[in-house]
Amino acid sequence: MELLNPLMLWGTLAIAVPIIIHFWHQKKGKVIYWAATNWLIEKNLQQSRGIRLDNILLLLLRCLLLLLLCFLLSKPFLNTFGSHQADKKVHLVQAKAFITENYKFELQEALKKGEKCYWISEKLLPITDLQQTPQNENLDGGLLQKSLNQLAEVIDKEQINLYFINSESLQTLPHIFVPNTFVLHSLIDTSQQVRPYLGFINNKRILIGSNKLLTLAPESIEKGSSKHSGLIKVLIENQDNGEKQSIKATLEALAQTYQLEFDLSEKSKPNIAYDIVFSSHFPEKTLSDNTLYIFSNTVKWKLLEEKSNQVLIPSLLNSQGSEMVFEGLFPEFLGEKIIQHFGLQNEYKSLSHQQLNSLFKAHKYFKAISNDWVSKSLLLFFVLLLALERWIAIYKNS
């Protein structure tokens, strides 16, 4: 026996009301003498002391009626299948070869044991052969929730095992409600990752590797997207010689370490769009959104707001004025800004473990199989008790 709305049991505190009313009426009243009392029967002049038996029975009936009403409102659910159902499992699988190949052993064992296995699809499809997957559908939160809603109609209390590719597309809904206890089996499909890269001469491509650093890509990149082609044009407008040396040394370090290729200029040339501009002077013209600006010595600047393509450094970029340059951290800093500016982060994004746990919520769903008789029986018992209570109350006052 389980309760679908257990909070209604707080209503049982209401049994204090008939008890208080009952004992309030048992208080001894004040005797008032008047002439007509001489004509009353002596029996009626005797005081009724203590609590009469029919009063106790009436009090118990009223308390029982309140308890039964709260129990009815809490929606009792009788599990007629026994607790052994909780040990069984049902499997809901995304129709992708990548999933079936990685969880082949678990799914084959489930089929051998006779456990229910279904594909995630518009219409819930049972799995008979792992080699025959239905037409692939792009999985999102809406499709998964629809499959779970259909699954709730064919299961009772089995544990639900979900097999799917971890992707941000699952967040199309704020929450995905699973109709029972569940276990998540998620994988990140690296073949779906779009690999943005910087293209240089001789088909050389630089992208973010598995170590999260810029690295030389192989000749063929599946689902790659070019974010830049040709030399990275850099304009250095800083007047301080120390700054110029630090910037050139940083760019040379990036070129040697990550094989980036730069085209350096110290004077602006007309009709040339620069990719990176270093300057220590407040800009006098409109800044381009396609250029990364590294401004130094901006401690007194107040009118320019830092944007995604504008970096404001308070001090001069030399070893005397900048602790970052002095400690040799400037190449790493500039490399991160180049990655962000050109958008070299992988465009395929997955959810973290914490995001998955907050996205999926267990919401128990109980089928309405033959459990109506429980509520109907309790309701009938409630009506009979109410009739008995009314009969005793009327008979007592007659």
Side-chain angles (χ1 to χ4, degrees):
M1 179 74 72
E2 296 186 41
L3 301 178
L4 300 184
N5 194 10
L7 292 178
M8 294 304 300
L9 292 180
W10 283 100
T12 56
L13 298 177
I15 64 173
V17 176
I19 296 175
I20 293 174
I21 294 175
H22 182 83
F23 283 100
W24 178 265
H25 284 291
Q26 294 297 321
K27 293 178 63 178
K28 181 178 179 181
K30 182 178 180 182
V31 179
I32 301 176
Y33 294 97
W34 60 304
T37 54
N38 295 328
W39 302 99
L40 297 177
I41 302 175
E42 182 181 355
K43 173 183 168 183
N44 291 336
L45 289 174
Q46 296 177 354
Q47 287 187 343
S48 177
R49 298 192 178 186
I51 302 177
R52 295 166 56 187
L53 180 60
D54 57 347
N55 287 347
I56 294 179
L57 180 59
L58 197 59
L59 174 64
L60 292 177
L61 283 174
R62 288 169 177 170
C63 291
L64 184 58
L65 281 170
L66 284 172
L67 292 175
L68 187 58
L69 178 61
C70 293
F71 189 62
L72 273 170
L73 294 176
S74 65
K75 298 181 181 180
F77 179 88
L78 183 63
N79 180 20
T80 57
F81 292 92
S83 61
H84 67 281
Q85 291 287 340
D87 298 332
K88 292 187 177 181
K89 298 178 181 179
V90 63
H91 306 265
L92 192 59
V93 186
Q94 184 179 357
K96 290 284 187 180
F98 180 75
I99 291 294
T100 56
E101 289 174 3
N102 281 274
Y103 292 106
K104 185 176 181 179
F105 175 78
E106 291 86 347
L107 294 175
Q108 285 181 342
E109 287 296 314
L111 291 173
K112 288 180 182 178
K113 294 178 182 178
E115 295 176 344
K116 300 175 183 177
C117 299
Y118 299 93
W119 297 113
I120 298 175
S121 57
E122 286 290 337
K123 294 182 179 180
L124 199 63
L125 299 175
I127 298 177
T128 56
D129 187 358
L130 294 176
Q131 301 300 325
Q132 298 179 353
T133 59
Q135 184 177 0
N136 290 335
E137 299 182 56
N138 293 324
L139 180 65
D140 57 20
L143 178 61
L144 182 54
Q145 184 65 73
K146 188 173 183 178
S147 297
L148 287 169
N149 293 342
Q150 296 177 23
L151 184 66
E153 300 290 341
V154 298
I155 66 171
D156 183 45
K157 297 191 68 177
E158 297 94 336
Q159 182 190 71
I160 300 174
N161 286 256
L162 296 172
Y163 304 83
F164 56 90
I165 294 174
N166 184 345
S167 172
E168 265 192 344
S169 61
L170 294 171
Q171 288 186 314
T172 52
L173 296 177
H175 291 293
I176 297 175
F177 294 99
V178 186
N180 218 327
T181 58
F182 62 90
V183 178
L184 302 179
H185 305 275
S186 63
L187 293 174
I188 298 177
D189 187 2
T190 55
S191 64
Q192 293 187 5
Q193 293 182 343
V194 177
R195 307 296 296 275
Y197 60 85
L198 300 176
F200 299 100
I201 59 175
N202 299 326
N203 202 29
K204 185 173 73 172
R205 299 176 180 181
I206 305 297
L207 49 73
I208 300 295
S210 57
N211 56 358
K212 307 299 182 182
L213 298 175
L214 291 169
T215 185
L216 183 64
E219 294 184 0
S220 61
I221 302 177
E222 295 183 1
K223 296 184 178 180
S225 63
S226 176
K227 297 298 182 178
H228 177 79
S229 60
L231 300 177
I232 299 176
K233 296 181 176 59
V234 181
L235 175 62
I236 304 175
E237 294 183 326
N238 306 71
Q239 299 300 319
D240 184 81
N241 291 329
E243 279 195 302
K244 289 182 180 180
Q245 293 178 0
S246 299
I247 293 171
K248 291 179 180 179
T250 297
L251 294 174
E252 185 179 353
L254 291 175
Q256 293 179 355
T257 305
Y258 303 115
Q259 301 188 41
L260 297 176
E261 298 179 358
F262 300 101
D263 179 16
L264 304 183
S265 298
E266 295 187 13
K267 290 185 178 182
S268 178
K269 299 178 182 178
N271 302 324
I272 293 183
Y274 291 96
D275 301 302
I276 304 175
V277 174
F278 291 89
S279 178
S280 58
H281 300 288
F282 190 86
E284 298 178 355
K285 58 182 180 179
T286 304
L287 302 180
S288 172
D289 294 334
N290 299 322
T291 303
L292 174 61
Y293 295 92
I294 309 293
F295 293 112
S296 60
N297 198 25
T298 63
V299 65
K300 296 182 180 180
W301 293 11
K302 296 181 180 180
L303 299 178
L304 186 64
E305 296 182 1
E306 186 170 359
K307 298 181 180 180
S308 58
N309 68 323
Q310 300 171 13
V311 181
L312 306 182
I313 300 175
S315 59
L316 291 173
L317 287 173
N318 53 36
S319 57
Q320 291 81 20
S322 174
E323 183 178 354
M324 178 174 57
V325 175
F326 179 77
E327 295 181 356
L329 301 177
F330 190 41
E332 181 180 354
F333 172 82
L334 182 58
E336 292 178 355
K337 295 302 178 182
I338 291 176
I339 291 173
Q340 294 174 8
H341 176 68
F342 288 106
L344 296 182
Q345 297 88 349
N346 289 330
E347 296 180 4
Y348 173 83
K349 296 182 180 179
S350 59
L351 301 179
S352 65
H353 180 71
Q354 183 179 0
Q355 287 175 316
L356 280 177
N357 287 338
S358 61
L359 178 63
F360 288 86
K361 301 288 183 182
H363 183 72
K364 290 189 177 181
Y365 173 89
F366 296 92
K367 295 184 293 182
I369 44 173
S370 68
N371 272 273
D372 288 341
W373 69 269
V374 177
S375 299
K376 291 179 179 179
S377 300
L378 290 174
L379 183 59
L380 178 61
F381 184 52
F382 177 81
V383 173
L384 293 175
L385 281 181
L386 182 60
L388 179 61
E389 184 272 338
R390 287 291 84 204
W391 181 80
I392 294 177
I394 296 172
Y395 176 79
K396 174 179 176 291
N397 294 326
S398 62

